[in-house]
Amino acid sequence: MSGPKKRTFQIEAFKHRVVVDPKYAEKTWKILEHAIHEIYNHNASGLSFEELYRNAYNMVLHKFGEKLYSGLVTTMTFHLTEICKSIEAAQGGLFLEELNRKWADHNKALQMIRDILMYMDRTFIPSTHKTPVHELGLNLWRDVVIHSCKIQTRLQDTLLELVRRERSGEVINRGLMRNITKMLMDLGSFVYQDDFEKHFLEVSADFYRLESQEFIESCDCGEYLKKAERRLNEEMERVSHYLDVKSESKITNVVEREMIESHMQRLVHMENSGIVNMLVDDKYEDLGRMYSLFRRVPNGLILIRDVMTSYIRDTGKQLVIDPERLKDPVDFVQRLLDLKDKYDKIISTAFNNDKTFQNALNSSFEFFINLNARSPEFISLFVDDKLRKGLRGVSEEDIENVLDKVMMLFRYLQEKDVFEKYYKQHLAKRLLSGKTVSDDAERSLIVKLKTECGYQFTSKLEGMFTDMKTSQDTMQGFYASLGSDFGDSPTLTVQVLTTGSWPTQPSATCNLPAEILGISDLKATFGKGQKHELNVSTYQMCVLMLFNNADQLSYKEIEQATEIPASDLKRCLQSLACVKGKNVLRKEPMSKDIAEDDAFFFNDKFTSKFVKVKIGTVVAQRETEPENQETRQRVEEDRKPQIEAAVVRIMKARRVLDHNNIVTEVTKQLQSRFLPNPVVIKKRIESLIEREFLERDKADRKLYRYLA
């Protein structure tokens, strides 16, 4: 069953006719109008804001909101017109102070008026889409006061003049400036921009255009950059004190364009003070300033980087092709390392470790190091010098540092296999002669090479160390088996070497004197009866024995008597006649180098505080040109099977490939060791075709097919 039907009740308002005084609106408005006058005349203390609010409330409630709003506009306009006259009458520096004071008064008055008309603001204005009271007050101030014909231009000129005076070094009232610019911002961003910022930027551009021209004519590059940096900082400080924060990027763009971008080329290439001069003299502060300023403008850093790269390439090229520098390989490499250290420090200190600058530096070094075909040999000789004697007494950390620098140069080499060839020769001599400073340092470098180039690069080098260890263990076992029977017998050292791991050494001729049988040390008697035991090499012994029968011998006579190869003989004579404290021979004329017309004498004035004197052999500094050519030929021969292996690997994977793509792929595979010559690649392909690893396509002769 359905329940009883519910009744709906509605309570209606009691209807009665409200009689309103026909003059109510006029009377009420007069009260409110009087109150607004009093507020603007600073007599608001006697007003009852509660009563005034109620009157405004009732006017809106009784549909007189339009009259109230229009009356407000008329009354505020009247007062602002009077205020405008007062501001216009202010003279000189009082103009901004009067404007600021009247603006503050207007804001206070506006706050009170808004409180009184709060109900109108909340109900009537939204429903009629009119401007709220506070915004209305700002708009009227803008239109009546700021945009009056006598104030607008005067205000703009006054503000710009104050900025000009501050730029000239005068002290201005920044607080007043801040209040005025804030007023313009409060009136709307477009007011600030149109009435001040736009003109400020135009005047600033003109100012800095003229000033930069004066500076560029009278200052060197470093001084100019200091002035530009100071001006830039001043403008940023100015913004922070009294301009809109959004103006910062705009005004700094003006300074950057007029003071930096417009003069970039001239600054960078300025004679006696441009970037080249800064690089030469290590002017880190000036370079850092140039970097920080130029990075703010388009292409600024590219310009610095290009000029730096060009200069480094020219400097490096002069270094690697200078014949004087090539005479001393160790000094040659040290100069390269010093040059790299110099620019590494510049990039880290002045250029904020910028990766693009580091990459430019690396490409420059790779460019000029490979201009000299002997760079791989010289780097290996540098390592040889350091690991023989140069790192003696040096801490482990410093040794690692030197080895890391060597590896850095090694990475720049395009012919890493040439370095390997020389390094293997030099390492073999160090190991066999026992002249290495540190086995740990030797192994550390091999580990670095292995990390860089892979196991194949260092497998034979590691085999050399294995042979030395095996030989050492074998000799220890041999002497242990002899026990006490060994007595005072001559010591014997045998080293068993794996043929494939060690470089082949050509056998050298040498005429041994008959007296040497059983002799290991030479006993020599000098002037005043001084006797010494000289520990010398075989070649040195052969030379010294000649002086038993002669006091003077020419280079030619020594060469004919011993038949020692010329390069070895010259090093031998250098060690006997040119090393201070070990000069048992005397040379005329006296010089570091040995010439074919030199004469040698037994030095009877030789003295030493030691009875036993060990005379080392001067280390080969570099190969002669014929030796270098021979090494090059061996390297080229070694490259042939590597190129062929790469071609076969590629063709096995691809099956069919054209000539150009084979060359590209082979180059890509082998570039970590060397850059193969396309002509050589072509010859190796021809060889593989002859041996039936590949065949040419019958239709397209540039296409190759792999034969399984």
Side-chain angles (χ1 to χ4, degrees):
M1 289 179 65
S2 59
K5 194 174 182 180
K6 291 183 180 179
R7 293 184 180 182
T8 303
F9 293 94
Q10 186 174 356
I11 300 173
E12 294 183 358
F14 179 69
K15 295 179 180 179
H16 67 281
R17 186 176 180 80
V18 178
V19 180
V20 179
D21 184 352
K23 296 183 178 179
Y24 166 76
E26 191 62 36
K27 288 178 182 177
T28 308
W29 166 242
K30 287 295 181 186
I31 295 169
L32 292 171
E33 182 184 31
H34 173 74
I36 292 171
H37 285 309
E38 291 297 286
I39 288 170
Y40 271 105
N41 292 329
H42 307 291
N43 294 325
S45 57
L47 299 176
S48 169
F49 281 85
E50 184 181 351
E51 185 181 334
L52 292 169
Y53 174 83
R54 196 179 303 116
N55 284 329
Y57 174 86
N58 287 330
M59 279 194 76
V60 175
L61 200 64
H62 291 98
K63 309 298 182 187
F64 294 114
E66 185 63 45
K67 181 176 180 62
L68 178 60
Y69 190 85
S70 60
L72 172 66
V73 172
T74 304
T75 308
M76 286 179 68
T77 303
F78 168 77
H79 278 285
L80 291 178
T81 304
E82 294 301 311
I83 288 171
C84 185
K85 292 175 184 176
S86 169
I87 296 169
E88 288 170 0
Q91 298 298 314
L94 298 175
F95 169 69
L96 286 187
E97 292 181 8
E98 182 68 10
L99 177 62
N100 184 45
R101 187 163 50 250
K102 293 299 184 183
W103 165 247
D105 291 346
H106 176 63
N107 270 311
K108 288 179 185 174
L110 202 54
Q111 184 62 44
M112 295 180 196
I113 293 168
R114 188 170 65 169
D115 289 346
I116 293 170
L117 305 180
M118 191 181 297
Y119 185 71
M120 180 181 76
D121 234 3
R122 284 162 51 190
T123 57
F124 173 75
I125 286 174
S127 64
T128 54
H129 306 293
K130 293 185 180 296
T131 306
V133 173
H134 185 262
E135 191 179 336
L136 173 68
L138 298 181
N139 292 347
L140 289 173
W141 176 269
R142 177 193 67 209
D143 297 338
V144 177
V145 179
I146 299 303
H147 287 169
S148 74
C149 57
K150 292 183 179 179
I151 289 180
Q152 188 172 17
T153 306
R154 186 180 175 189
L155 174 60
Q156 177 187 304
D157 292 344
T158 304
L159 292 175
L160 294 177
E161 173 61 17
L162 285 172
V163 172
R164 186 200 65 76
R165 283 164 53 187
E166 189 176 45
R167 282 176 179 154
S168 300
E170 294 184 38
V171 177
I172 65 169
N173 187 341
R174 284 181 165 179
L176 181 59
M177 282 286 285
R178 182 169 58 250
N179 290 343
I180 299 300
T181 54
K182 188 176 183 308
M183 173 194 74
L184 296 176
M185 286 183 265
D186 289 345
L187 297 178
S189 59
F190 69 94
V191 178
Y192 172 80
Q193 291 165 8
D194 294 346
D195 284 33
F196 172 71
E197 187 183 62
K198 183 173 71 174
H199 306 284
F200 167 68
L201 295 175
E202 289 172 359
V203 169
S204 298
D206 293 339
F207 174 84
Y208 284 118
R209 192 176 301 119
L210 288 172
E211 185 174 78
S212 66
Q213 199 59 47
E214 290 174 14
F215 288 164
I216 204 82
E217 298 297 340
S218 61
C219 301
D220 66 21
C221 183
E223 290 173 0
Y224 182 95
L225 293 174
K226 286 179 184 175
K227 292 178 184 293
E229 184 182 54
R230 187 171 67 246
R231 283 304 195 188
L232 200 57
N233 291 335
E234 284 175 3
E235 292 302 332
M236 288 190 280
E237 185 186 6
R238 184 169 292 113
V239 170
S240 69
H241 280 292
Y242 56 78
L243 299 181
D244 182 9
V245 67
K246 293 175 185 174
S247 297
E248 182 172 319
S249 61
K250 298 174 185 176
I251 185 59
T252 52
N253 283 342
V254 167
V255 180
E256 290 157 9
R257 185 177 64 250
E258 299 300 339
M259 296 204 79
I260 302 167
E261 190 175 358
S262 298
H263 302 289
M264 277 198 306
Q265 291 288 346
R266 186 167 175 183
L267 285 168
V268 164
H269 296 104
M270 195 173 277
E271 192 175 352
N272 298 324
S273 66
I275 190 168
V276 170
N277 181 266
M278 293 178 185
L279 292 171
V280 171
D281 295 338
D282 296 332
K283 294 185 176 179
Y284 303 117
E285 190 178 336
D286 287 344
L287 286 166
R289 187 174 290 110
M290 178 178 276
Y291 177 85
S292 64
L293 291 175
F294 276 49
R295 74 185 301 181
R296 306 177 72 98
V297 300
N299 301 320
L301 292 186
I302 293 174
L303 178 60
I304 296 177
R305 192 166 64 244
D306 289 348
V307 174
M308 183 192 81
T309 302
S310 175
Y311 176 71
I312 294 174
R313 289 193 174 205
D314 289 344
T315 306
K317 186 177 179 181
Q318 290 170 16
L319 173 61
V320 299
I321 64 174
D322 183 358
E324 288 300 313
R325 301 283 178 232
L326 302 185
K327 291 179 180 178
D328 186 349
V330 175
D331 181 63
F332 171 89
V333 175
Q334 189 59 55
R335 285 177 181 274
L336 287 177
L337 293 176
D338 292 344
L339 191 67
K340 184 67 165 57
D341 286 344
K342 173 188 175 77
Y343 286 101
D344 277 341
K345 187 174 182 183
I346 286 173
I347 290 171
S348 64
T349 306
F351 297 155
N352 197 31
N353 260 332
D354 193 312
K355 290 295 179 191
T356 60
F357 279 76
Q358 193 65 58
N359 292 339
L361 177 62
N362 290 335
S363 69
S364 299
F365 265 76
E366 186 174 345
F367 164 75
F368 62 72
I369 279 181
N370 290 293
L371 290 177
N372 187 341
R374 305 196 72 162
S375 290
E377 177 193 357
F378 287 0
I379 293 172
S380 180
L381 283 167
F382 178 83
V383 174
D384 188 55
D385 178 76
K386 294 299 178 188
L387 293 178
R388 276 179 180 271
K389 57 187 179 182
L391 298 177
R392 189 170 280 115
V394 177
S395 70
E396 208 171 296
E397 187 179 344
D398 290 337
I399 291 175
E400 282 296 307
N401 194 24
V402 171
L403 297 182
D404 286 338
K405 287 182 177 181
V406 167
M407 287 304 301
M408 176 261 301
L409 292 183
F410 171 77
R411 290 185 193 102
Y412 296 139
L413 293 176
Q414 290 174 351
E415 298 185 311
K416 293 181 174 64
D417 58 337
V418 179
F419 171 86
E420 180 191 11
K421 180 71 76 177
Y422 284 109
Y423 179 72
K424 189 187 289 185
Q425 290 176 8
H426 297 146
L427 174 62
K429 289 178 181 177
R430 288 198 300 277
L431 292 178
L432 294 174
S433 63
K435 293 288 180 65
T436 186
V437 169
S438 163
D439 280 349
D440 289 340
E442 295 279 9
R443 292 182 184 278
S444 175
L445 184 56
I446 289 176
V447 168
K448 293 178 190 296
L449 288 168
K450 187 176 182 179
T451 304
E452 190 70 28
C453 300
Y455 170 76
Q456 189 179 1
F457 193 90
T458 59
S459 58
K460 292 182 179 179
L461 303 177
E462 291 174 327
M464 292 162 70
F465 276 93
T466 303
D467 286 350
M468 293 302 294
K469 182 71 170 68
T470 303
S471 298
Q472 186 181 354
D473 292 344
T474 303
M475 291 310 300
Q476 285 176 352
F478 170 71
Y479 284 119
S481 67
L482 291 177
S484 58
D485 297 338
F486 184 66
D488 294 328
S489 303
T491 57
L492 174 71
T493 302
V494 177
Q495 289 158 335
V496 183
L497 310 179
T498 306
T499 306
S501 297
W502 295 76
T504 54
Q505 299 290 337
S507 57
T509 58
C510 175
N511 289 339
L512 298 174
E515 301 94 328
I516 70 160
L517 296 175
I519 296 176
S520 57
D521 289 339
L522 290 181
K523 294 184 178 180
T525 304
F526 295 90
K528 299 181 181 178
Q530 284 196 71
K531 293 184 179 182
H532 296 282
E533 287 185 20
L534 305 180
N535 183 269
V536 292
S537 68
T538 303
Y539 285 163
Q540 290 169 336
M541 174 196 65
C542 293
V543 171
L544 289 174
M545 292 291 283
L546 297 176
F547 286 90
N548 279 334
N549 303 317
D551 291 332
Q552 173 184 349
L553 290 168
S554 68
Y555 172 82
K556 285 289 186 185
E557 290 171 333
I558 296 172
E559 186 178 36
Q560 288 171 4
T562 61
E563 294 186 7
I564 297 172
S567 60
D568 292 325
L569 179 58
K570 286 182 178 179
R571 290 191 292 115
C572 173
L573 290 169
Q574 274 183 315
S575 60
L576 293 171
C578 302
V579 179
K580 191 176 181 181
K582 306 287 178 74
N583 51 334
V584 294
L585 297 183
R586 195 161 45 81
K587 183 174 92 72
E588 288 185 4
M590 192 59 207
S591 64
K592 277 201 312 181
D593 299 320
I594 305 296
E596 293 191 358
D597 55 353
D598 285 349
F600 296 87
F601 305 84
F602 181 71
N603 184 11
D604 58 356
K605 294 181 180 177
F606 173 78
T607 59
S608 175
K609 59 183 179 180
F610 301 107
V611 174
K612 288 189 176 184
V613 179
K614 184 175 182 179
I615 300 177
T617 303
V618 174
V619 180
Q621 285 297 291
R622 51 176 288 181
E623 286 184 331
T624 60
E625 205 56 47
E627 289 172 333
N628 182 252
Q629 290 298 325
E630 188 181 335
T631 303
R632 282 271 159 189
Q633 286 173 4
R634 290 203 301 271
V635 170
E636 291 298 333
E637 286 300 316
D638 289 345
R639 287 178 177 178
K640 288 178 182 178
Q642 295 181 58
I643 294 172
E644 289 179 355
V647 171
V648 170
R649 279 197 303 271
I650 292 162
M651 291 304 297
K652 197 172 183 179
R654 300 291 190 88
R655 293 289 167 178
V656 179
L657 205 61
D658 66 90
H659 181 80
N660 289 341
N661 276 320
I662 288 182
V663 172
T664 303
E665 290 285 337
V666 169
T667 303
K668 190 185 295 182
Q669 279 199 16
L670 297 177
Q671 65 185 359
S672 62
R673 286 182 60 80
F674 62 92
L675 283 179
N677 188 327
V679 176
V680 178
I681 296 175
K682 186 177 181 182
K683 287 180 180 177
R684 298 336 303 154
I685 291 173
E686 295 290 345
S687 175
L688 290 169
I689 291 173
E690 288 173 12
R691 287 177 280 157
E692 297 183 350
F693 284 91
L694 309 176
E695 69 173 359
R696 279 196 173 87
D697 187 80
K698 291 180 174 59
D700 185 353
R701 301 292 290 170
K702 290 186 177 180
L703 209 62
Y704 302 107
R705 295 181 182 279
Y706 177 70
L707 297 176

